[in-house]
Amino acid sequence: MNVTDRRETIVMTGSTIMISERCPDWLNTISYPYGNVIVDPARQREIHLWREAKFQDSLLASDALITAPEVADLKVLPRFKTKPLKQP
């Protein structure tokens, strides 16, 4: 599958993302599976699978896309759960 849609959806403030000095463009979260990535839903609108513009080789999926296989009782790879951005 070739996913070409790139968006800036991750909100760095509040996300537990470690920026590597050797690979600053790779998405790393701290303490998997307890790390979190906060995504701004307004920037994710109308898409379920995308690559984060800030991080090379990242692949993010919407909660709806992640939940669908679980509802159908299909096995999926481990993933990080995103948290929605709290609106002020």
Side-chain angles (χ1 to χ4, degrees), residues 22-36:
R22 288 185 5 196
C23 302
D25 56 343
W26 284 63
L27 178 61
N28 297 309
T29 61
I30 298 172
S31 303
Y32 173 79
Y34 306 106
N36 69 62

Side-chain angles (χ1 to χ4, degrees), residues 62-79:
S62 68
D63 290 340
L65 183 62
I66 293 298
T67 305
E70 292 173 354
V71 170
D73 200 28
L74 298 173
K75 301 291 181 199
V76 294
L77 295 173
R79 74 232 177 248

Side-chain angles (χ1 to χ4, degrees), residues 32-84:
Y32 173 79
Y34 306 106
N36 69 62
V37 175
I38 298 175
V39 174
D40 184 346
R43 298 179 193 168
Q44 176 202 345
R45 194 168 297 146
E46 298 178 6
I47 191 161
H48 293 286
L49 195 61
W50 71 98
R51 297 194 180 279
E52 182 62 30
K54 296 177 189 176
F55 299 105
Q56 174 181 319
D57 295 333
S58 63
L59 183 62
L60 285 87
S62 68
D63 290 340
L65 183 62
I66 293 298
T67 305
E70 292 173 354
V71 170
D73 200 28
L74 298 173
K75 301 291 181 199
V76 294
L77 295 173
R79 74 232 177 248
F80 298 101
K81 185 77 173 168
T82 61
K83 294 183 177 182

Side-chain angles (χ1 to χ4, degrees), residues 11-23:
V11 178
M12 298 300 286
T13 305
S15 294
T16 53
I17 296 174
M18 177 180 67
I19 305 295
S20 168
E21 289 184 20
R22 288 185 5 196
C23 302

